[in-house]
């Protein structure tokens, strides 16, 4: 006996977003889901360079300092959107999978999407309002001195005014991706980048609004993203809705969204702290050390984005397979993703190391920086490969609703790095700082493997609860 959902045939429609989640060959599904994610991230990285060029064209170092000082705030705002987007997106994908055997599950998705988007906007509005009320203390906390404080205050004030928009846009990106619409997400992010560049030209070069204009450009570009995704969902999504009438505070929605999403907040927060601690310690060894680390990070960034494209792109596929109870597809997706991460990481690491002198030469010409850079790059590349696998493990925990495991990964990573880098600096000096991230990522990989082994039974139970065999037995018991 088989169970079909006649009201939603899209799962069987070859080439549809739902088909990629439900039954497409795993490799084809991964290409559909992961490549657009990686492409969008690379486009975003290119935009960051272009944006810095716009600000730099004003020939005022205080403006560049203001953008640098305000960046952690922007990252934290995105993390707020990630709480609702990652948690809501994982739950939506699981419900879509479960709906293949229990069509009633699909009716819950509108509540999840409305709660996620409006929740992100409301929390963003509250945080933005508080930040504006405490603007001057916040600017001081970010590290602005007397010279950079006015520009930093302008950048931060405009950013805070757009916090609801930024958080909602980032959340929407995750929700659209939860339906398997990765190409639409890529198109939305590319459209946002183009809009951002246009607004930069207008506000910075034409109207001369400086960093406040740069912040305004980011805010308006994210409004473009919201508009694009809202229109696309209205026209193409059968289940997702942004209508306020579907907003709910039901524990059945709120609890799983926050349980998974909070790990994103911890991870983003610790990444900010990590960057601040690392930069401050490295600064004690001179500009050469900072330059070598900065260049190594940029070189490792492109393959790292490719790995993130895989680990983030596969999350909806894992969640959908888990909700559907498709054990074979779930296991195959995990294994294929792991092989892909290993291959990309290994090939990228070997190529980057072999051509390290040419790559570094494109950024710096100082022989001492080049020599130090080879060591830094080696450490960064090893850390990158380990991080690819830990990212896949975290996505697996998030996709299956293993909130404790996902949060443990995020907390451990942040809590472990700080003592490792401080002790590394104390015991080994600069080499201790350089290899601190590598050691942390290696330990985190072991922690993640341990958590996966410990979670296998609960994941197996979840797969059994969502399986077609169990759904059929329940139906037969209800209608003997």
């Amino acid at each position: 006996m088989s169970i079909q959902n006649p009201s939603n045939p899209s799962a069987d429609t070859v080439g549809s977003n739902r088909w990629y989640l439900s039954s497409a060959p795993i490799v084809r599904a991964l290409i559909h889901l992961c490549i657009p994610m990686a492409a969008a991230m690379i486009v975003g990285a290119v935009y960051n360079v272009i944006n810095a060029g716009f600000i730099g064209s004003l020939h005022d170092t205080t403006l560049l300092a203001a953008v640098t000082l305000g960046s952690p705030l922007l990252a934290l705002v995105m993390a707020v959107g990630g709480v609702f987007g990652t948690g809501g997106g994982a739950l939506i994908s699981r419900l879509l999978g479960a709906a293949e055997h229990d069509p009633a599950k699909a009716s819950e998705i509108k509540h999840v999407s409305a709660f996620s988007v409006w929740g992100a906007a409301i929390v963003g509005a509250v945080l933005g309002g508080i930040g504006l009320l405490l603007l001057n203390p916040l600017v001081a906390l970010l590290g602005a001195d007397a010279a950079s404080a006015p520009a930093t205050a302008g950048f931060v004030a405009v950013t805070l005014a757009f916090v609801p928009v930024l958080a909602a846009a980032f959340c929407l990106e995750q929700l659209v991706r939860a339906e398997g619409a990765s190409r639409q997400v890529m198109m939305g992010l590319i459209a946002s980048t183009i809009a951002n560049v246009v607004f930069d030209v207008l506000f910075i070069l034409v109207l001369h609004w400086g960093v406040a204009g740069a912040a305004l450009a980011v805010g308006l570009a994210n409004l473009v993203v919201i508009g694009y995704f809202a229109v696309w969902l209205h026209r193409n999504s059968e289940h997702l809705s942004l209508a306020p009438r579907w907003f709910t505070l039901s524990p059945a929605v709120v609890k799983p969204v926050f349980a998974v999403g909070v790990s994103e907040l911890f991870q983003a927060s610790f990444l900010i702290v990590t960057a601040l601690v690392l930069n401050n310690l490295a600064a004690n060894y001179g500009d050469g050390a900072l330059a070598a680390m900065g260049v190594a990070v940029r070189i490792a960034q492109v393959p790292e984005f490719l790995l993130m494209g895989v680990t983030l792109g596969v999350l909806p596929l894992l969640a959908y397979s888990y909700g559907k109870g498709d054990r074979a597809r779930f296991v195959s997706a995990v294994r294929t993703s792991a092989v892909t991460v290993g291959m990309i990481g290994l090939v990228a690491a070997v190529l980057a190391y072999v051509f390290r002198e040419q790559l570094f030469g494109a950024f710096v010409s100082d022989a001492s920086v080049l020599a130090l850079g080879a060591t830094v790059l080696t450490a960064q590349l090893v850390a990158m490969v380990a991080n690819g696998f830990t990212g896949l493990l975290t996505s697996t925990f998030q996709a299956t609703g293993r909130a404790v495991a996902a949060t443990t990964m995020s907390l451990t990573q942040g809590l472990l790095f700080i003592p490792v880098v401080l002790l590394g600096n104390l015991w080994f000096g600069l080499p201790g700082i350089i290899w601190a991230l590598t050691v942390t990522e290696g330990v985190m990989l072991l922690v993640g493997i341990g958590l996966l082994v410990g979670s296998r039974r609960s994941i197996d139970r979840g797969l059994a609860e969502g399986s077609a065999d169990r759904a059929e037995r329940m139906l037969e018991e209800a209608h003997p």
Side-chain angles (χ1 to χ4, degrees), residues 46-371:
V46 171
Y47 165 72
N48 288 334
V49 175
I50 295 173
N51 188 50
F54 281 124
I55 299 297
S57 69
L58 301 177
H59 305 292
D60 188 340
T61 56
T62 61
L63 300 183
L64 282 172
V67 174
T68 302
L69 293 170
S71 294
L73 177 65
L74 197 59
L76 199 57
V77 169
M78 295 302 186
V80 173
V83 170
F84 292 91
T86 302
L91 181 56
I92 286 171
S93 293
R94 289 199 299 273
L95 289 172
L96 281 171
E100 288 205 25
H101 308 306
D102 183 4
K105 291 290 185 182
S107 63
E108 302 174 25
I109 294 175
K110 286 184 172 62
H111 293 295
V112 178
S113 58
F115 167 75
S116 299
V117 172
W118 289 103
I122 292 169
V123 172
V126 172
L127 293 177
I130 293 173
L132 287 171
L133 289 174
L134 303 174
L135 180 60
N136 291 331
L138 179 59
V139 169
L141 182 64
L142 289 171
D145 57 20
S148 61
T152 304
F155 181 81
V156 169
V158 177
T159 299
L160 290 171
F162 276 96
V163 167
V165 172
L166 299 173
F170 192 74
C171 174
L172 261 175
E173 173 194 330
Q174 315 303 314
L175 301 188
V176 173
R177 193 160 54 86
E179 285 202 314
S182 56
R183 281 181 294 192
Q184 284 72 27
V185 170
M186 179 184 70
M187 290 171 63
L189 294 179
I190 291 175
S192 170
T193 300
I194 294 172
N196 216 325
V197 171
V198 172
F199 288 135
D200 272 341
V201 172
L202 175 62
F203 298 145
I204 297 175
L205 301 184
V206 177
L207 298 177
H208 305 290
W209 288 354
V211 289
L216 182 59
V218 171
L220 292 179
N222 276 271
L223 271 179
V224 171
V225 169
I226 291 177
Y228 172 82
F229 286 147
V231 170
W232 187 87
L233 288 172
H234 179 71
R235 293 179 177 176
N236 300 279
S237 179
E238 180 184 354
H239 303 297
L240 269 69
S241 175
L242 307 183
R245 70 176 182 275
W246 296 107
F247 182 86
T248 180
L249 292 176
S250 168
V253 172
V254 176
K255 186 177 178 180
V257 169
F258 279 139
V260 170
V262 74
S263 63
E264 286 291 300
L265 182 62
F266 285 133
Q267 188 173 34
S269 300
F270 282 124
L271 283 175
I272 294 169
V273 173
T274 295
L276 292 174
V277 171
L278 193 61
N279 288 341
N280 277 282
L281 288 175
N284 294 325
Y285 294 90
D287 292 339
L290 278 174
M293 295 184 74
V295 172
V297 167
R298 283 170 173 79
I299 293 173
Q301 198 171 50
V302 172
E304 190 171 5
F305 281 153
L306 293 175
L307 294 179
M308 289 176 68
V310 176
T311 59
L312 294 177
V314 76
L315 197 156
L317 176 60
L318 295 176
Y320 190 99
S321 302
Y322 181 79
K324 182 181 176 182
D326 192 338
R327 178 187 300 274
R329 188 169 181 79
F330 179 86
V331 173
S332 179
V334 172
R335 287 177 176 171
T336 306
S337 300
V339 171
T340 303
V341 166
M343 289 177 60
I344 292 175
L346 181 62
V347 172
V350 170
L351 288 176
Y353 186 78
V354 169
F355 296 102
R356 61 190 181 280
E357 292 185 5
Q358 291 87 340
L359 291 171
F360 264 90
F363 292 92
V364 293
S365 56
D366 190 310
S368 61
V369 174
L370 290 172

